[in-house]
Amino acid sequence: RHAQWEEEYEMNCRKLRGLGFDVVEQEFPDFNESGMHDFVAKSDIVTMAFLRDYISTESQLLRELGSLTSQISMAVDHQRKVVKHAVGNNGASSFTVVGDGGIVLGYYVVPDDGEKWLQHAMKEIVARHGAVLNNDLKTVVSRGNLPKVIYVDKLCCGGTEGSRADAVRYFYGMLKKLDVFHLIQRVGREINCEHPRKGDFLKSLSECIFTNVE
């Protein structure tokens, strides 16, 4: 492909010169050179490279991923935009489990954000921490090294007094808490979208909670 690209480059240069454009004389870069800091690959090329690398090292990557654990807390999140271009109907949302320091414990593609699709992923992650769940999949028989808290993006509470009963307080052995990002989103949904100060208010609310790391 390099020879083909070089030929196309030289042909385009000749065309531009023929049209009277002032073309800078510059040799087509050699991909084997080390000083190619100005070369920027197209996004589809980078994606193909990542996919090829994943396919060739899939077993090693999954083995490494299966060894990662978290000590203080976990967080889970669904995102539709990430997989909206996926082919077929089986993948409509991503499900990510994150541990301490933002380390990814698991990344999955699921049909929707329903709880039934999470069982396989969460059971494996809980077992990875040496914990044993009860049949309700909420409380534990043995905690092992499982963190006590997990931050969720939904189903944290019922929104009415008394809805935080023990039966819904726990998520695979960990105490559920709504993560701050989705808390701010919920506040934002209650504000008129046409209010001129809505954006400034939510930004200030975020700054009151988060601290920039320099």
Side-chain angles (χ1 to χ4, degrees):
R1 293 293 299 275
H2 180 271
Q4 177 186 344
W5 292 334
E6 184 176 11
E7 183 179 349
E8 291 177 357
Y9 169 75
E10 293 175 351
M11 183 177 64
N12 289 331
C13 288
R14 288 194 298 269
K15 286 182 178 179
L16 291 173
R17 291 192 188 97
L19 293 173
F21 289 94
D22 185 16
V23 179
V24 178
E25 293 289 343
Q26 187 174 359
E27 292 185 3
F28 191 75
D30 183 354
F31 286 176
N32 294 322
E33 293 180 358
S34 59
M36 290 189 59
H37 56 275
D38 293 330
F39 175 75
V40 179
K42 292 184 178 180
S43 59
D44 57 340
I45 300 298
V46 175
T47 301
M48 289 173 59
F50 275 121
L51 290 175
R52 288 176 179 173
D53 179 70
Y54 172 76
I55 292 172
S56 63
T57 59
E58 180 180 4
S59 59
Q60 297 95 314
L61 290 173
L62 293 177
R63 186 163 56 247
E64 180 182 355
L65 185 66
S67 68
L68 301 176
T69 59
S70 185
Q71 296 181 348
I72 300 174
S73 65
M74 290 187 201
V76 296
D77 185 44
H78 293 85
Q79 288 197 8
R80 295 185 181 276
K81 186 181 295 185
V82 180
V83 294
K84 68 178 182 179
H85 298 300
V87 177
N89 298 321
N90 293 330
S93 175
S94 66
F95 174 63
T96 310
V97 185
V98 180
D100 300 337
I103 187 170
V104 176
L105 303 177
Y107 182 83
Y108 315 88
V109 176
V110 293
D112 54 56
D113 58 1
E115 281 192 274
K116 65 178 181 179
W117 306 113
L118 314 184
Q119 288 190 20
H120 178 75
M122 291 306 302
K123 282 182 178 180
E124 188 278 321
I125 290 177
V126 168
R128 190 189 304 176
H129 288 77
V132 179
L133 292 169
N134 280 311
N135 293 331
D136 61 5
L137 301 180
K138 298 180 184 298
T139 55
V140 292
V141 177
S142 173
R143 173 161 295 278
N145 296 315
L146 191 67
K148 293 183 178 180
V149 175
I150 185 166
Y151 294 91
V152 298
D153 56 347
K154 53 176 290 186
L155 302 174
C156 66
C157 47
T160 58
E161 185 177 358
S163 63
R164 284 280 287 178
D166 287 346
V168 295
R169 291 179 63 197
Y170 294 94
F171 184 80
Y172 291 89
M174 294 167 281
L175 182 65
K176 290 192 293 186
K177 292 183 179 292
L178 180 66
D179 71 66
V180 176
F181 174 76
H182 289 90
L183 170 63
I184 295 175
Q185 277 194 325
R186 291 189 181 191
V187 173
R189 285 199 294 264
E190 301 302 318
I191 303 174
N192 191 316
C193 61
E194 297 181 357
H195 197 290
R197 294 192 179 92
K198 176 180 179 178
D200 291 336
F201 171 75
L202 295 178
K203 180 181 178 182
S204 298
L205 180 60
S206 176
E207 291 173 347
C208 290
I209 300 172
F210 293 106
T211 301
N212 290 327
V213 177
E214 298 180 356

